[in-house]
Structures are given as structure tokens and as C-alpha cells.
Amino acid sequence: MVLEGLGKALNSALKKLFGASIIDEELVKELAKDIQRALLVADVDVTLVMAITKRVEEQALDESLPRGISRREHIVKVVWDTLAFYLGEKTVPLTINPGKPNLVMMVGIQGSGKTTTVGKLARYFQKRGIKTGVICADNFRPGAYSQLKQLAERSNVPFWGDEEEKDAVKLAKKGYDEMRKRGVELILLDTSGRHREETGLIKEMRDISKAVKPQEIVLVVDGTLGQQAGVQAEAFRDATAIGSIIVTKLDGSAKGGGALSAVAATGAPIKFLGTGEGMDAVEPFNPTKFAGRLLGMSDIKGLIEKVREAQIEVDEDATMRFMKGQFSLNDMMAQLKQLKKMGPIGKVMEMLGLQYKLPDDIAQIQEENMKKWEVIMSSMTKNELDNPRIIKSSRIQRIARGSGTDTRDVRELLKQHQQMQKMIKQMGRSRRGRRGGMPGIPGLPGM
Ligand SMILES: Nc1nc2c(ncn2[C@@H]2O[C@H](COP(=O)(O)OP(=O)(O)O)[C@@H](O)[C@H]2O)c(=O)[nH]1
Ligand SMILES: [Mg+2]
């Protein structure tokens, strides 16, 4: 999983938002703090972290709420948009002119993942119907030739290299001619990157690119470097106008968020991400989608539509009553109806990216049961509805008779009420005293 740690931390920050029924300044501050913590742990630059959370704080309680959008949806969207904004906002694809030789040259310091990425991209584009070939211009690292050759063979793409040739510029030139002859449309040129620091790297890049005139130069940076990756990206951006970036090793790197944001901050477009050692572990970088995934939400449109359909209003009165430990039978019915209104609960949760699981016995309450309970309740006095505790066996018999049901049904209703009340108390305790709603269920007051 890409940036798992950061994703988890951001997701749990949002869960708190969904868990609270009152959304006020205090809550937004807490959310901003949580986001700050998550980003700092991911090695995102402090100034950037502050800029991100400032924007979230400023916009979260923005008075001009678009029609039909709840405060929660709005805040999620603000967080989402802000992250996407700082990741570069738009997707920049690799341009390939079909039927022509498109030369893409990879640069980056040794070990950053160039050769692996060349292998992955060759496979990626080959699969998409673009005739792709790879050139090894790494005359420096022993084994570089066979490493790329093997990768190319595994994906069945043309390979060119020459173990005897020691001049990287000559290698690149010969390889390019060879690939053109073979009618390759996308030529990926792998270089050595033997320099550990930016200046040497840039010089090597200039020498080769002067000779072969690549259409695009891609800097491969190691995502485990964290915000340090930004330094490389900056030097690179200043050195070439035809540059784009691939950030690798974002799988399981705690600092990947820092790397991505620092690289994005240089303004150089990130085109792909390396997400594993396997040959298919490469993906085009789409900041909006990526931010959504980080937040644990794959589909913001679906989310907004679904929550709007359910449009559950926060009921402040009910919240207050619950806080005082008052939970009448009518409250219970109202809650159950709201749950039902949301449709298959699991689906909604999934869309919210939340894994909150309703206790089985509540999720499984059937429509018929609820109808029956309403009939039973119609035979109760107001006092009984408000204080179901007073309903002992003689009352149970009277209510069953009056509603034409069985005493067992009445007892079941009372048991259900007790269980829900217990659950509410437990949730209340686990929320550290904040007035709140049911974790994971937007707008359900005090459940
Ligand atoms: N986990 C992970 N490892 C990667 C990724 N990309 C490359 N590597 C590993 O990083 C190491 C260096 O990669 P290589 O392609 O040889 O780097 P080069 O020196 O720039 O050509 C190898 O062990 C790769 O398997 C990635 O996205 N995720
Ligand atoms: Mg290499």
C-alpha cells in the first residue's frame, strides 16, 4: 500500500470529524492538528504543513456552504482539495507522438530506481499498444547491462546495449539509431547516474541530451529520501525545461509524503509513481485521485451523492437528551429509521472509507421488526415511551394485549432498546467527553 502510514493517520483524523455531531471551531482546530501531526510524521516540510492546515482551517467553517452540501462533506472536500492542490493539482501525462520515435531519457542518482522504472514503463506502455524499446547507456555500474536486458526480455520489449562501449554518449546515440531502425515509438534511455550529488548528475544529463536530443527527460527520485528529494528536483527543474519526475519506492516508505510534496513544490510535474519492486508497480500520478486515496476515499462524487441522498439532519435536541442519558423508545425508532434511510450501511461506510462496523444485531434489524415495534409502541403511554425502564411484566402483558402482539415481542423491543442505550453510553465514554454522534455515521446525533 502506498503511503500507508500517512493515509491511516489522515483517515483517522477524518473519522473523528464524522464521529462528531457538533462541528465547531474547536473540532476544526483538532482536525487541523491531527493533519499537521500526520504530515510532519511523513516528513512534509513544516512551512508546507502550516500552509496546508491554514487553508483547511480557513475554508472549513467558510459560511458560504454550497447548497445541498453538509458541513462534513464540505470539510472533507476542503481537506481533499487542499492536499491535491499541494500535490500539483493536475495530471500531466507523458506525451507520445504515435508512429514517431519518442526518446525519453531517465536520469537520477544511483539506486534511485531508474533501471527498474525503465523496465516498468516499457511494460506499461507496451501493454497499452505503444511499441516500446529500452537502451542501456549505463557503462558504469557492473551488471547494469544484464539487469535491463533481463527486464526487457521478461516484458518482451526490444533492448539495446553494448558491454564493450564505455562512452555513455556514444552508447546513447547508437542505441537511439538502433531503436529508430526497429520502428520503436517510445524509446526509454537508461543512464548510469553514477554521481551522488546534483551537479555531477546535471552535467551527465546535459552531455547525453546534447547528443541525442530527448523529447523528455525524467528525473527518477527515491521517495524514501523524504523532503530531501525536493533538493534534487529543484536542481533538475532549473537545469532543463523538458523535465518531469517519477518518485519511486513510495511503498512502505514513512517519508514518501514528504518526498512527493517537496517535489511537487518545485513545480516540476510528477508523472508516475513507483510503488513496489514488481514490474507492474508503477502508476500514473493523478494528484486529485491520489489525495482521495490518501484520505481513504476513492470516490468523492459518490460520497457526496450518497450522503446527500441520506441528508440526515443533526438533531441538537436529541443530542442533548442523549447526553443526559435520556434515550426514549421514540428516539430509538427515529435512529433506526435514519439508519435504514441510508440504505445498505456497509456500502455507505465503504464509500466514506471508514471501517466502522455496526454491531451485527443492529445492522440486521429487519423492516418487519420495526413495523411491529411501532405497533407495540402505539399501545404504550407517553410515560412508558419516555422511560421504558418502568415497563415490567404486568405492563408488558397489557401492551402485548393492546397491540395484538406477543409478550415475547414486547420484551424483544425492550431488550433492543437497552442494548442501544448501552452502546450509546460506551460510545459517549470513548469520545473523551466531546459531544458527538455515532462514529462513522454522519449526522446521526448521539447514537
Ligand atoms: N520497494 C521499491 N523498490 C524499488 C522501487 N523502484 C526501485 N526499487 C529498488 O531499488 C533498487 C535500485 O533500483 P535500480 O533500478 O537498480 O536503481 P538505479 O541505480 O537508479 O538504476 C532496486 O533494488 C530496486 O528493486 C519501488 O518503487 N519500490
Ligand atoms: Mg540502473
Side-chain angles (χ1 to χ4, degrees):
M1 169 59 195
V2 182
L3 306 191
E4 193 170 6
L6 178 59
K8 268 195 188 146
L10 289 173
N11 189 240
S12 67
L14 285 187
K15 273 189 201 167
K16 272 196 211 164
L17 172 73
F18 280 106
S21 71
I22 310 291
I23 296 179
D24 53 12
E25 216 169 310
E26 193 197 333
L27 182 81
V28 171
K29 281 222 172 81
E30 200 181 316
L31 175 71
K33 281 247 161 58
D34 287 343
I35 295 175
Q36 268 170 19
R37 226 171 287 132
L39 294 174
L40 289 172
V41 168
D43 198 41
V44 177
D45 172 68
V46 182
T47 332
L48 190 57
V49 172
M50 293 308 159
I52 290 173
T53 48
K54 187 162 169 260
R55 187 171 147 147
V56 169
E57 278 190 69
E58 275 168 7
Q59 296 185 359
L61 295 175
D62 195 344
E63 284 314 310
S64 58
L65 210 55
R67 258 183 63 203
I69 301 277
S70 76
R71 185 59 67 188
R72 273 180 195 77
E73 294 165 282
H74 174 68
I75 295 179
V76 171
K77 204 170 164 303
V78 167
V79 175
W80 185 324
D81 286 348
T82 306
L83 289 178
F85 175 80
Y86 285 102
L87 286 174
E89 228 167 0
K90 50 184 197 308
T91 312
V92 196
L94 192 69
T95 359
I96 296 162
N97 304 304
K100 299 222 171 73
N102 298 264
L103 182 67
V104 175
M105 169 177 165
M106 313 290 259
V107 299
I109 61 172
Q110 198 178 324
S112 58
K114 287 180 301 299
T115 306
T116 313
T117 305
V118 165
K120 288 176 185 176
L121 288 181
R123 187 181 173 88
Y124 179 91
F125 285 105
Q126 180 93 341
K127 271 192 186 167
R128 282 158 181 78
I130 291 157
K131 188 152 194 236
T132 309
V134 300
I135 304 170
C136 170
D138 183 353
N139 53 356
F140 181 75
R141 200 179 131 199
Y145 174 93
S146 53
Q147 184 192 359
L148 187 57
K149 189 163 188 274
Q150 272 173 22
L151 292 178
E153 275 164 6
R154 261 169 56 195
S155 302
N156 212 11
V157 300
F159 165 85
W160 192 89
D162 180 355
E163 280 182 295
E164 303 307 316
E165 180 59 70
K166 291 299 167 208
D167 184 340
V169 174
K170 280 188 188 154
L171 272 170
K173 261 185 150 167
K174 272 195 208 162
Y176 183 44
D177 291 341
E178 189 65 29
M179 287 297 156
R180 272 193 359 206
K181 262 187 238 154
R182 293 200 214 168
V184 171
E185 295 170 290
L186 176 62
I187 307 163
L188 299 167
L189 176 63
D190 186 22
T191 62
S192 74
R194 66 192 134 110
H195 307 281
R196 285 245 135 257
E197 81 308 340
E198 287 77 42
T199 36
L201 184 72
I202 301 293
K203 185 176 180 310
E204 182 188 39
M205 171 186 104
R206 287 215 168 104
D207 291 347
I208 301 179
S209 69
K210 234 191 264 168
V212 290
K213 305 227 167 5
Q215 163 190 322
E216 180 157 343
I217 305 178
V218 178
L219 174 73
V220 178
V221 267
D222 183 335
T224 61
L225 289 176
Q227 53 179 295
Q228 231 358 72
V231 179
Q232 277 180 35
E234 201 168 344
F236 175 73
R237 181 208 57 195
D238 293 343
T240 174
I242 50 167
S244 62
I245 298 192
I246 294 180
V247 184
T248 62
K249 308 186 197 177
L250 286 175
D251 47 311
S253 160
K255 290 180 169 184
L260 266 187
S261 53
V263 170
T266 68
I270 301 172
K271 294 203 173 168
F272 283 91
L273 304 180
T275 57
E277 289 188 276
M279 276 303 99
D280 288 316
V282 69
E283 53 183 75
F285 181 57
N286 176 332
T288 306
K289 271 198 188 152
F290 191 82
R293 233 170 64 198
L294 258 189
L295 295 175
M297 300 185 185
S298 46
D299 174 15
I300 197 164
K301 264 204 206 124
L303 161 74
I304 288 183
E305 271 156 30
K306 192 75 196 176
V307 181
R308 192 181 301 148
E309 262 169 38
Q311 247 341 304
I312 293 156
E313 293 299 315
V314 176
D315 180 345
E316 301 254 346
D317 276 358
T319 310
M320 293 305 286
R321 277 203 307 278
F322 297 162
M323 277 173 63
K324 290 187 202 134
Q326 295 166 5
F327 181 66
S328 72
L329 279 167
N330 284 328
D331 288 334
M332 178 180 94
M333 284 312 284
Q335 295 297 336
L336 288 175
K337 278 183 188 163
Q338 284 186 330
L339 280 179
K340 291 287 170 200
K341 203 163 113 189
M342 290 175 77
I345 290 162
K347 192 81 204 139
V348 177
M349 294 294 136
E350 206 180 284
M351 235 175 308
L352 295 171
L354 303 174
Q355 280 179 354
Y356 184 78
K357 204 169 163 294
L358 274 183
D360 278 345
D361 43 354
I362 290 189
Q364 279 164 12
I365 291 172
Q366 300 296 320
E367 217 70 46
E368 307 120 63
N369 268 345
M370 284 170 62
K371 287 215 181 85
K372 197 188 277 173
W373 291 345
E374 279 185 319
V375 174
I376 295 173
M377 282 163 64
S378 67
S379 287
M380 292 181 184
T381 65
K382 180 163 187 324
N383 195 18
E384 285 167 345
L385 287 170
D386 289 342
N387 307 292
R389 231 165 320 166
I390 63 170
I391 306 176
K392 305 281 185 237
S393 81
S394 65
R395 286 185 196 248
I396 291 176
Q397 275 174 20
R398 190 209 82 228
I399 294 165
R401 229 178 298 122
S403 58
T405 56
D406 202 284
T407 52
R408 251 188 332 207
D409 297 326
V410 182
R411 283 184 209 281
E412 204 199 310
L413 166 63
L414 295 172
K415 193 174 135 224
Q416 191 62 53
H417 174 262
Q418 270 171 14
Q419 277 182 355
M420 273 181 87
Q421 193 166 33
K422 207 168 114 200
M423 196 171 93
I424 289 162
K425 279 198 187 131
Q426 279 167 357
M427 286 175 176
R429 271 199 297 276
S430 68
R431 269 197 316 272
R432 293 186 286 131
R434 169 178 283 287
R435 279 199 273 164
M438 188 160 185
I441 301 189
L444 273 187
M447 255 191 71

